[in-house]
Amino acid sequence: MKERLSNFHRCRGRHDTDGHHACGKVNIMSSGSEKNTVLVQGTILAVASLIVRLIGLIYRIPMTVIIGDAGIGYYSTAYQVYNVILLLSSYSMPQAVSKLMAMRLAKKQYRNANRYFICSMIYSVISGLVFSAIMYFGADFIAGTMLNAEMAAYSIRMLAPTVFVMSLLGVFRGFFQGFSDMVPTAISQVLEQIANAIGSIIGASMLFAYGAQVDIIKGTNNNAAALGAKGGTIGTLAGAITALVVMIVIFIFNYPTLKAVMRREPRKRVYKYSRVFRDISLMVTPIIISTFIFHIINLIDNSIFGAYMSSIKQSEETYISIWGVYSGKFMLLANLPIALSTALASSVIPQLSGAVERRDKGEICEKIDLSIRFTTLIAIPAMVGIAVLGGDMVILLFGDAPSNADAGKMLLYGSLTVLVFSYATVTNGILHGLGRMFTTVRNAFIALIVHIIVLMICLWALKANIYGVVFSYMIFGLVVSVLNFFSILESTDFMGSFMKTFVKPFAASAIMGAAVFGVSFLINKFLVSYVSLKMLKFLSVIVSMNIGITVYFFFTFFFGSVDEADLVDMPLGPRIGRMARKMGLLK
């Protein structure tokens, strides 16, 4: 950001007819100045998100060992409440701030961009304090009355102050994303998760031991799990504070450059604060509603599944343990590849907003095409890999307990979750970038109604138990994706290649899946008598994945899913091109 502002400062006032500076620098804040900006910035955030998810996966392993499936169930229940409260207060702020600032920056209105930042901070401070208080004082009602999990109140109350910290953090992240700079967000996310992991493990260990003593004294059996879950949430607060400090430091170093540029801008174009707050409210509200629906679905599923388990006379401990397997193992692994699409969606919003503000239809369609194709190339093989290797991955990470076999089946039956939610996430980002905010609300609401109906049928009519939750969750993502795709086609001139974007990656992934299954089957069959179970699953996962990546790489080029022109726009494109040429896949 600082470099781009500095370029403007040096070259101000000297533009040629094409909109470029006389000194050879492209106009700053022009989101589309570089053809592959979306993918470059998206990749930065995607890599950071993947690292974050991997750290999350790694620390969940010792946490699960420490507090058990019941503890993870309480932890996940509290976290779902936290996510819903967070999105109502501030979760949408990075998207809203980045979009509003990108629109002003596209027209070089730096003072107005700054006002959006200041007003967003005021908005977040107020909403963060209000919702933190609601979460803290309403913990008992939410856990006991709404979710049939009274002991989750400990963790819910512990997470309350984190809402306020995240409210501030969201605005700082949105500030830099508005400049199409994802690096500060990426750095803060990684450091946040590292602090989270350390704090969660230490906190869970200490409070679980204390809870175990309470159980011995009182003759109970659930204080250890509930207090261990509360200890795990300490890490969330520690991580949020760490990330906020990092963003504030980066902001302090960059903000003076923006102020220097603002001093040279005419004051007559500055918006009134009343207009700025109005714009923020109009931007935040639809994002909050659509994101709320995406996150409330887990809370609804939790509540409905809890009611179903109660109706068939199952104890809270049984219900919360099953939910812990679903949320702490199935969802944890399924969300790993979805994180890439989430990062790409965050990147595409300010890029598309700038293009829309400039009315550049060609750039709009190009960025949509790149976003969808990049998502497809990642999501389809990830879905196949989860389906084939999910069972071995669960045993490798969490052991061979009977509940882990259920988690493996969930990953097999629910592998489509990876694909449909990747599409749902990135198409939501595209529609937000196009200004179709309430379209995402409508589509998500329709999908939610369908989801609830399907869930009710799966549980009470088909007696599908937790697998009914898995299936109905996939249906939600599928309906959102289909409706969003139709909305994009209605809103733009976008006409991507169906064969190249969807059919060819599916074909390459199918062959990859067959290869991965074959290798995994042979390893599990012929080495079972020679190595331990952990080593067997380690070999199965690692060897199969490497062969699968090689096979997918080969057939992606063989079928023409990616060609030389595409590599120009892709991150690490030249390096991938050199590898493909060595293999004879490119001339």
Side-chain angles (χ1 to χ4, degrees):
M1 186 199 88
K2 190 170 183 178
E3 181 181 355
R4 298 177 78 183
L5 281 168
S6 298
N7 288 339
F8 172 79
H9 183 68
R10 288 194 299 268
C11 308
R12 61 185 182 276
R14 294 182 289 142
H15 304 284
D16 62 22
T17 57
D18 294 325
H20 288 71
H21 298 287
C23 65
K25 300 293 184 182
V26 181
N27 287 350
I28 65 133
M29 301 314 140
S30 175
S31 324
S33 61
E34 297 177 12
K35 192 176 180 182
N36 64 345
T37 303
V38 169
L39 288 184
V40 170
Q41 294 297 326
T43 300
I44 290 171
L45 206 54
V47 170
S49 297
L50 188 57
I51 293 171
V52 166
R53 298 282 184 175
L54 288 173
I55 295 172
L57 175 63
I58 292 169
Y59 87 76
R60 279 289 189 94
I61 296 171
M63 239 183 85
T64 302
V65 172
I66 293 168
I67 66 178
D69 288 335
I72 291 295
Y74 286 123
Y75 177 86
S76 299
T77 298
Y79 219 85
Q80 286 157 10
V81 174
Y82 163 73
N83 279 334
V84 170
I85 297 293
L86 182 64
L87 70 90
L88 288 173
S89 64
S90 63
Y91 190 90
S92 57
M93 290 310 294
Q95 294 183 33
V97 175
S98 67
K99 179 176 171 62
L100 287 167
M101 290 189 64
M103 292 169 65
R104 295 306 104 213
L105 293 170
K107 293 187 174 182
K108 300 179 179 60
Q109 297 177 5
Y110 303 107
R111 290 185 183 276
N112 287 329
N114 185 58
R115 287 210 166 185
Y116 280 116
F117 166 71
I118 293 171
C119 291
S120 297
M121 185 62 72
I122 295 171
Y123 179 99
S124 290
V125 168
I126 296 171
S127 63
L129 287 172
V130 170
F131 282 101
S132 291
I134 291 172
M135 189 171 178
Y136 185 86
F137 293 108
D140 291 320
F141 173 79
I142 295 170
T145 306
M146 294 178 61
L147 299 175
N148 299 303
E150 293 181 5
M151 302 295 282
Y154 290 128
S155 300
I156 294 173
R157 197 171 286 110
M158 188 68 222
L159 284 167
T162 312
V163 171
F164 175 71
V165 178
M166 291 298 293
S167 296
L168 305 182
L169 179 59
V171 179
F172 282 113
R173 285 174 171 169
F175 174 84
F176 287 102
Q177 289 175 23
F179 287 92
S180 297
D181 186 358
M182 304 297 163
V183 175
T185 297
I187 293 171
S188 68
Q189 284 180 342
V190 173
L191 294 178
E192 175 188 357
Q193 191 70 328
I194 291 172
N196 185 0
I198 296 171
S200 294
I201 294 172
I202 295 174
S205 180
M206 292 176 65
L207 289 190
F208 182 84
Y210 173 73
Q213 293 177 352
V214 173
D215 282 333
I216 293 172
I217 295 171
K218 294 185 175 182
T220 55
N221 60 3
N222 56 1
N223 279 287
L227 290 175
K230 176 184 178 180
T233 60
I234 292 174
T236 307
L237 177 59
I241 293 173
T242 300
L244 179 60
V245 171
V246 169
M247 291 301 291
I248 290 174
V249 170
I250 297 175
F251 176 81
I252 289 172
F253 277 101
N254 283 274
Y255 192 65
T257 310
L258 175 60
K259 291 181 68 175
V261 175
M262 286 192 298
R263 282 195 292 268
R264 301 180 179 277
E265 183 186 6
R267 290 182 175 272
K268 62 182 179 181
R269 295 186 297 176
V270 178
Y271 295 158
K272 293 181 179 179
Y273 281 108
S274 58
R275 171 180 173 170
V276 174
F277 277 114
R278 183 195 66 196
D279 288 349
I280 292 172
S281 298
L282 290 174
M283 184 67 66
V284 167
T285 301
I287 296 179
I288 285 178
I289 297 173
S290 62
T291 312
F292 176 80
I293 295 173
F294 263 74
H295 284 76
I296 196 67
I297 186 173
N298 289 318
L299 207 57
I300 290 173
D301 288 355
N302 196 336
S303 181
I304 292 176
F305 184 66
Y308 168 73
M309 293 294 283
S310 179
S311 72
I312 60 174
K313 311 302 181 184
Q314 295 293 320
S315 67
E316 178 180 317
E317 187 177 359
T318 301
Y319 142 62
I320 208 71
S321 294
I322 294 174
W323 189 258
V325 174
Y326 168 77
S327 58
K329 293 173 184 175
F330 165 72
M331 292 292 288
L332 183 67
L333 290 171
N335 280 331
L336 273 172
I338 296 174
L340 301 177
S341 298
T342 303
L344 189 60
S346 298
S347 171
V348 78
I349 289 174
Q351 301 289 327
L352 273 176
S353 298
V356 169
E357 194 72 11
R358 291 187 295 274
R359 303 179 187 273
D360 190 333
K361 293 183 178 180
E363 185 182 346
I364 290 170
C365 292
E366 178 187 50
K367 293 187 186 303
I368 292 173
D369 182 56
L370 285 172
S371 300
I372 292 175
R373 287 186 59 208
F374 188 70
T375 300
T376 303
L377 289 170
I378 298 296
I380 295 179
M383 173 190 68
V384 174
I386 286 286
V388 176
L389 293 176
D392 284 355
M393 291 171 68
V394 172
I395 294 174
L396 172 63
L397 296 172
F398 301 105
D400 61 341
S403 62
N404 292 335
D406 292 333
K409 290 179 183 177
M410 291 179 203
L411 288 168
L412 174 61
Y413 302 148
S415 57
L416 186 62
T417 299
V418 173
L419 181 61
V420 294
F421 271 90
S422 292
Y423 281 141
T425 302
V426 79
T427 52
N428 255 8
I430 290 170
L431 288 171
H432 286 165
L434 292 172
R436 295 286 301 271
M437 316 298 290
F438 284 99
T439 300
T440 61
V441 174
R442 180 199 66 193
N443 294 348
F445 183 75
I446 293 171
L448 180 63
I449 299 300
V450 174
H451 164 78
I452 292 174
I453 294 172
V454 172
L455 179 58
M456 295 285 196
I457 294 172
C458 287
L459 291 178
W460 275 276
L462 302 179
K463 309 295 182 184
N465 206 292
I466 194 66
Y467 297 102
V469 180
V470 173
F471 179 74
S472 60
Y473 188 68
M474 287 192 299
I475 293 297
F476 174 82
L478 178 62
V479 174
V480 170
S481 298
V482 171
L483 293 177
N484 281 358
F485 271 117
F486 278 114
S487 298
I488 291 170
L489 294 176
E490 290 173 356
S491 305
T492 67
D493 298 326
F494 170 69
M495 288 294 294
S497 170
F498 182 79
M499 181 67 67
K500 188 173 183 179
T501 302
F502 300 105
V503 176
K504 290 180 178 179
F506 263 112
S509 297
I511 296 173
M512 179 206 76
V516 169
F517 177 80
V519 173
S520 176
F521 175 80
L522 292 174
I523 290 175
N524 280 288
K525 183 176 180 64
F526 293 106
L527 295 184
V528 65
S529 301
Y530 301 98
V531 296
S532 66
L533 181 62
K534 280 279 187 181
M535 179 56 67
L536 182 69
K537 298 307 178 185
F538 175 81
L539 291 172
S540 172
V541 171
I542 298 301
V543 175
S544 300
M545 281 181 62
N546 278 282
I547 290 177
I549 291 170
T550 303
V551 170
Y552 181 69
F553 182 87
F554 176 85
F555 281 99
T556 294
F557 283 96
F558 181 79
F559 288 139
S561 303
V562 176
D563 54 36
E564 193 152 12
D566 298 324
L567 294 175
V568 175
D569 301 324
M570 285 189 175
L572 302 178
R575 182 175 299 178
I576 295 173
R578 286 194 294 271
M579 291 175 60
R581 288 188 189 90
K582 289 180 180 179
M583 297 174 67
L585 300 174
L586 282 177
K587 296 181 180 179

